[in-house]
Amino acid sequence: MKVTDLANAVFEYLKNIDDEGLAPFIEKFPSEPFKTRDVQKNDLPVFSYLPKLDTGANVSTRGIVEQFQSISEYFCWGQTYSVEDFGQTFLNKYGWAELIGLRGPIASEKIACGFLFLGPNVLYPKHNHESEEVYIPLSSDQDTFWVQGDDAWVSRPAGRPIYHKSGIPHGIKTSLSPLLALYVWYGGDLAQKSEID
Ligand SMILES: [Fe+2]
């Protein structure tokens, strides 16, 4: 089953990143044999940007992106927000696909792990949630900017973890390129709609 191959690839990928902050995320990953469930496939406007992803020169990151692209249709893509929250333009350029968790094709009650996808020139305004979170940007890093709390917006290198502690407001802004980022959550409500700051 292809989603289990991707789950194993993600697990190996995370284990090979030299960053001790990842330990509490990695240790909660499910192991084989995975519990799987059928998920409803769907479609979102943001998919039109998927072929335009710039995976850059980072070989390990590119491997995950290409595996993900090859099975992106196997996921139930979600949008936590409504038009009232951030407007229709945002919804046209935003979506996430859970791989592991309460809703994804691989079941876990300890973590949620999946992919956030943003189109170009979109602002994902500051929001926060109870769960501890790590993002790992997988696509071109030069023109995507990240913010936490009252800090300045900064670009972050592909393949390096970005941690958001429980309840800390954080946001993302893309420029010319779309963004694909891996995320893992643990603790708190793993299916929470984030609070908008
Ligand atoms: Fe978050």
Side-chain angles (χ1 to χ4, degrees), residues 10 13-14 17 19 21-26 29 58 61 64 77-81 86 90 93-98 103 112-118 122-129 131-139 141 144-148 153-166 168-174 179-186 190 192-195:
V10 165
Y13 172 68
L14 291 173
I17 295 175
D19 193 309
L22 285 174
F25 296 89
I26 292 171
F29 260 68
N58 187 324
T61 314
I64 297 291
W77 285 79
Q79 293 190 316
T80 317
Y81 305 102
F86 297 143
F90 177 81
K93 296 183 175 184
Y94 152 81
W96 49 262
E98 185 174 281
R103 299 165 288 193
C113 173
F115 296 83
L116 170 72
F117 188 44
L118 294 177
V122 66
L123 168 67
Y124 186 172
K126 283 186 197 175
H127 57 283
N128 77 87
H129 43 76
S131 297
E132 300 284 331
E133 176 179 69
V134 61
Y135 270 115
I136 297 164
L138 298 175
S139 57
D141 49 358
T144 295
F145 297 88
W146 302 73
V147 69
Q148 285 194 45
W153 290 83
V154 288
S155 68
R156 309 295 291 262
R160 298 307 306 164
I162 301 161
Y163 298 99
H164 297 135
K165 303 296 283 179
S166 175
I168 292 289
H170 50 281
I172 307 171
K173 194 163 50 176
T174 61
L179 167 75
L180 185 70
L182 181 66
Y183 68 81
V184 189
W185 283 24
Y186 77 82
L190 296 177
Q192 182 193 349
K193 177 183 176 183
S194 294
E195 291 175 23

Side-chain angles (χ1 to χ4, degrees), residues 7-185:
N8 282 321
V10 165
F11 183 62
E12 290 301 318
Y13 172 68
L14 291 173
K15 277 200 306 185
N16 285 320
I17 295 175
D18 184 17
D19 193 309
E20 62 187 25
L22 285 174
F25 296 89
I26 292 171
E27 72 188 18
K28 296 173 185 66
F29 260 68
S31 53
E32 295 210 75
F34 296 118
K35 278 188 278 179
T36 59
R37 58 168 80 94
D38 290 331
V39 295
Q40 187 82 41
K41 298 172 191 172
N42 62 346
D43 200 11
L44 284 181
V46 71
F47 290 166
S48 62
Y49 300 104
L50 210 48
K52 298 175 186 150
L53 263 182
D54 174 8
T55 55
N58 187 324
V59 174
S60 57
T61 314
R62 191 167 63 217
I64 297 291
V65 172
E66 287 174 355
Q67 282 197 60
F68 175 72
Q69 281 175 312
S70 72
I71 61 166
S72 58
E73 75 271 22
Y74 286 86
F75 293 97
C76 177
W77 285 79
Q79 293 190 316
T80 317
Y81 305 102
S82 64
V83 175
E84 289 71 33
D85 292 325
F86 297 143
Q88 188 60 49
T89 304
F90 177 81
L91 293 185
N92 289 344
K93 296 183 175 184
Y94 152 81
W96 49 262
E98 185 174 281
L99 172 65
I100 303 167
L102 300 174
R103 299 165 288 193
I106 296 173
S108 172
E109 294 179 351
K110 293 185 179 170
I111 62 160
C113 173
F115 296 83
L116 170 72
F117 188 44
L118 294 177
N121 296 308
V122 66
L123 168 67
Y124 186 172
K126 283 186 197 175
H127 57 283
N128 77 87
H129 43 76
E130 186 184 4
S131 297
E132 300 284 331
E133 176 179 69
V134 61
Y135 270 115
I136 297 164
L138 298 175
S139 57
S140 171
D141 49 358
Q142 294 305 311
D143 62 354
T144 295
F145 297 88
W146 302 73
V147 69
Q148 285 194 45
D150 295 323
D151 294 350
W153 290 83
V154 288
S155 68
R156 309 295 291 262
R160 298 307 306 164
I162 301 161
Y163 298 99
H164 297 135
K165 303 296 283 179
S166 175
I168 292 289
H170 50 281
I172 307 171
K173 194 163 50 176
T174 61
S175 306
L176 289 178
S177 308
L179 167 75
L180 185 70
L182 181 66
Y183 68 81
V184 189
W185 283 24

